[in-house]
Amino acid sequence: MRHDIDTGQNQAALELVPLYAPIIAQGVSAATAIGFHQRVGFLYYRTGQLEQALEHHNEALRLAQETQDPHQQAMVLNTRGTVLMCLGRYAEALDDFTRAADLWNSPARRLHRTFALDNRGDVYYYLGCYEKDLQAREIALPLYREFAYPIAAAECLSDTGACLRAMDRTAEAEEYLHQAWELSQSLQDGYDLVQSLNGLALLHAERDDPASWRLAEEYARRAATEAERADLPHGVIQGFSYRALACLKQGRPKEALQFSGQAVDLLRARRHIEGAEEEIYFIHSQTLAPMIIGSRRAKPCNKRMAR
């Protein structure tokens, strides 16, 4: 699931909404009104204004239910579920994705149903239900390949790698992340390229050997560079934070503090970066500790890192 924020073009598009809202209010077809609220909700989502996004998706769902069109309802539920997930309302998000999958449960909608089940896997990940997340990915990946949808396959490979890492199945995780990296490179897909590089950076940073830490630093450096090129601020922030962690592991706390400080500064400049705050502030606290106590080793912390 793509959870990045673009405050440029999407913010400019939001400025046009007041011009169209009166036209929608005067009366248009249900499909046009649903499409309007879905698009406006997406713009608010992409600019981190999640409560406003939810309001528009709620209205889109109300209109879709009046049409009694299962496909329209499923489309809205699937997008609303993403917003609910980013708000941390996981039970509601699971319900939306499940309802969407049920509405799409027909041979003609197999790919759409896969999207909903794959999104449900994201919720299971955040809840720590890794076995259920992995099951969702194992269902989705063959279907994405069957329907020749390589961008979705690359994202699914990266998500599978993240799940396997969380399950401590690191060798398998590395294999899936490498597959995601190679596929996204061939597609020139910046989002999945950055996701896979950051996944590999974190995987190697968590290992216990200097060679892996050096690899982690290089993967994180490349991730931040690619993220800047693709205008993916979450990827830049994660790249800096994982590079900080790799520097810290190599006994270079001053450099670690520099990179974690850059990550925190970027994070503060954003209204909302889903899933990043706990992780980045945890890394920042690790890099501060050796500077404060005059040691090259970070102060132990029991706080579990988020994705």
Side-chain angles (χ1 to χ4, degrees):
M1 180 56 61
R2 294 169 184 250
H3 296 152
D4 220 294
I5 294 176
D6 169 8
T7 56
Q9 292 182 344
N10 290 312
Q11 190 64 53
L14 276 174
E15 294 173 4
L16 300 175
V17 170
L19 299 177
Y20 292 95
I23 299 172
I24 300 298
Q26 287 173 6
V28 294
S29 70
T32 300
I34 292 166
F36 171 79
H37 287 290
Q38 281 281 83
R39 287 177 176 84
V40 174
F42 178 74
L43 291 171
Y44 277 123
Y45 161 72
R46 287 281 287 173
T47 53
Q49 301 174 72
L50 298 180
E51 293 293 347
Q52 294 93 324
L54 186 59
E55 289 178 11
H56 282 276
H57 290 310
N58 285 341
E59 179 61 15
L61 182 59
R62 184 188 69 79
L63 294 167
Q65 288 171 335
E66 288 180 357
T67 68
Q68 297 185 337
D69 181 341
H71 179 60
Q72 286 275 23
Q73 292 177 51
M75 290 288 288
V76 179
L77 286 165
N78 199 44
T79 51
R80 191 180 73 165
T82 300
V83 176
L84 289 167
M85 179 172 59
C86 291
L87 285 166
R89 293 164 60 173
Y90 297 127
E92 294 169 86
L94 272 178
D95 183 62
D96 273 8
F97 292 138
T98 300
R99 289 166 63 192
D102 290 343
L103 288 166
W104 276 327
N105 192 15
S106 70
R109 299 293 184 189
R110 286 175 65 220
L111 182 59
H112 288 89
R113 186 169 190 270
T114 302
F115 294 150
L117 294 174
D118 197 8
N119 288 340
R120 196 167 65 176
D122 286 327
V123 183
Y124 285 133
Y125 182 97
Y126 295 123
L127 289 172
C129 302
Y130 302 127
E131 289 288 352
K132 290 184 177 180
D133 177 24
L134 187 59
Q135 289 171 10
R137 310 303 180 188
E138 289 173 341
I139 292 170
L141 185 57
L143 281 164
Y144 290 147
R145 287 169 168 163
E146 177 186 338
F147 282 92
Y149 202 157
I151 289 179
E155 188 171 357
C156 191
L157 285 165
S158 182
D159 288 340
T160 303
C163 180
L164 289 165
R165 182 196 65 80
M167 298 170 74
D168 293 323
R169 293 165 58 176
T170 55
E172 294 168 90
E174 185 171 5
E175 180 182 345
Y176 275 94
L177 289 167
H178 268 292
Q179 288 183 48
W181 178 23
E182 292 169 0
L183 181 55
S184 57
Q185 275 189 310
S186 69
L187 297 169
Q188 297 184 326
D189 175 23
Y191 178 89
D192 292 311
L193 178 59
V194 171
Q195 287 292 95
S196 56
L197 285 168
N198 272 326
L200 287 163
L202 180 58
L203 185 75
H204 283 280
E206 291 178 331
R207 289 179 173 167
D208 293 324
D209 66 278
S212 288
W213 300 337
R214 289 191 293 272
L215 273 175
E217 184 176 3
E218 177 59 19
Y219 283 132
R221 183 194 66 78
R222 292 184 64 177
T225 300
E226 294 293 341
E228 286 177 340
R229 183 179 294 124
D231 191 23
L232 299 171
H234 191 181
V236 177
I237 291 168
Q238 284 191 319
F240 282 149
S241 64
Y242 296 155
R243 191 169 182 184
L245 188 58
C247 288
L248 185 66
K249 289 288 189 76
Q250 295 175 83
R252 291 150 48 199
K254 290 185 179 180
E255 289 176 69
L257 184 62
Q258 173 192 341
F259 289 119
S260 67
Q262 288 178 288
V264 169
D265 288 344
L266 284 170
L267 182 63
R268 287 171 176 163
R270 297 288 165 177
R271 297 184 182 183
H272 178 82
I273 300 281
E274 183 274 328
E277 294 92 339
E278 179 183 352
E279 173 183 4
I280 291 162
Y281 281 109
F282 170 65
I283 292 172
H284 192 57
S285 71
Q286 280 192 308
T287 56
L288 280 171
M291 302 296 290
I292 294 169
I293 65 178
S295 167
R296 286 179 174 268
R297 297 187 62 188
K299 184 177 180 180
C301 180
N302 293 324
K303 190 173 182 182
R304 188 168 70 93
M305 289 179 64
R307 185 178 181 184

